[in-house]
Amino acid sequence: MQRRLTGLIAGVSALGATVALGGCGSSAGSGDVTLRLVAADYGDSKANSSQKYWEKLSTAYEAKHPGVDIKVSVYSWNEVDAKVKAMVDAGDPPDMAQIGAYADYAAAGQLYSADDLLSIDTQADFVSQLTTAGELNRTQYGMPFASSTRLLFYNKKLFTDAGLTPPETWSQLASDAAALKDRGVKYPYALPLGPEEAQAETMMWLLSGGDGYTDTVGSYRLDSQQNIKTLTWLKDKLVAKGLTGPVAPGKLNRAEAFAAFTRGEVGMLNGHPTLMKAAAAKGVKVGMVPLPGSNGRSKSTMGVADWMMAFKKNGHAEQVGDFLDDVYSEKNVLAFSHEYDLLPVTTSASDAMTLDKDDADLVDFLDELPNAELYPVSQTSWAAVSADIKRQIGAAVSPTGDPAATLGRLQRDASAAENAG
């Protein structure tokens, strides 16, 4: 097995000793080792809990590596980040954590780098922009685990009945939404800027307006003139004209918007792959197109990645790396992606999905991934900035809202958080 062993070799050299490294197919290291993994639950019921996925994977791994025991604890997304933080704060971190962000732990020097853990083949197989997003100071600490991109979803029946075609520009989107409103559609365009995931909807609109959260060197530029224009257009052309439905955008959460779409009450909204299955189960025929932009289809959409990381506190770098090589095998990556309608984080699994006719519905999302922009997750300030956006951005497009003032306030707080970090 080729493995990047930078950290391990440095440690061995400092001791002036040598060790024999185990090869593939054998127990990773000598003696019995228990590895603890804390992971997020991607399921929506007990029947498809991620606990089942991890139990199947770890059981198969343990059968081939009798000296290694894998203990997995799965928590909901509402609590998993806090669970890991509590463990770290108590001085008892898990060996691995699969959660939403890695940068704080990497900046504190608590994580192994990917170089310390993974085989060269595994590390090279990550989709390139996900590798970059997992880097802090040009070293990869965050290993992408799951990803998705966004497309504009539309209700095919509502569009056909109204004689509409899917929009490519903002003006066409507003025109389609007005026609849907005239026909009594409850949510012509669902704009979820509620506290659940406002940072996502906001980022998609900022990107389609030609800007985003950060500049080319990663510094925040929330109050750019283009971003102000984008939110002003939303406020004046969609919200003020009653084209976003009966619930104020600042009070509408993504889950509620998705549920309304599956009931046939939404004409258009920005969605990710899991919405396809939910809509199909309710008999809603879905169309999907790239996000409209201010002057044509958006040049970039939002991509989202969740992260795997490994803590150094307990050691076991070789065993952790061997297990993660298995986690990131093409078979296991595809199994997870299929179970939860997510995009693979490796090139080999992405290529396999592209060629599989059973995955045809996901190809459009895969096609968007090379040009997708991710949250600025390498910024240790991102968690605080994201929370501020969730709390404040909905007010910016309200009838009494002021997009420039809201974005200016968010920018000042983001700059302060960035400088403090």
Side-chain angles (χ1 to χ4, degrees), residues 140-157:
Q140 184 183 3
Y141 297 97
M143 293 162 278
F145 182 74
S147 68
S148 68
T149 55
R150 301 295 195 264
L151 295 172
L152 180 75
F153 281 57
Y154 64 95
N155 183 309
K156 281 188 172 181
K157 184 178 187 306

Side-chain angles (χ1 to χ4, degrees), residues 79-110:
E79 57 182 344
V80 67
D81 289 313
K83 290 283 187 182
V84 173
K85 185 178 185 303
M87 293 176 187
V88 173
D89 290 346
D92 186 30
D95 296 282
M96 295 163 283
Q98 186 271 297
I99 52 178
Y102 67 88
D104 284 351
Y105 301 121
Q110 296 169 322

Side-chain angles (χ1 to χ4, degrees), residues 17-29:
T18 58
V19 295
L21 302 179
C24 290
S26 63
S27 175

Side-chain angles (χ1 to χ4, degrees), residues 77 81 100 150 191-207 212-213 220 222 231 249 252-254 270 272 302-306 373-377 382-394 410:
W77 275 108
D81 289 313
R150 301 295 195 264
L191 182 66
L193 294 177
E196 180 191 3
E197 206 181 37
Q199 84 286 357
E201 185 72 15
T202 301
M203 183 171 173
M204 285 181 270
W205 278 97
L206 298 185
L207 289 172
Y213 285 143
Y220 294 109
L222 299 172
L231 289 193
L252 182 65
N253 282 323
R254 177 191 56 79
N270 293 331
H272 54 65
M302 185 186 75
V304 176
D306 301 322
E373 185 168 326
L374 278 71
Y375 296 134
V377 289
W382 170 241
V385 173
S386 175
D388 283 346
I389 293 170
K390 290 179 182 181
R391 285 192 298 267
Q392 300 184 47
I393 204 68
L410 287 168

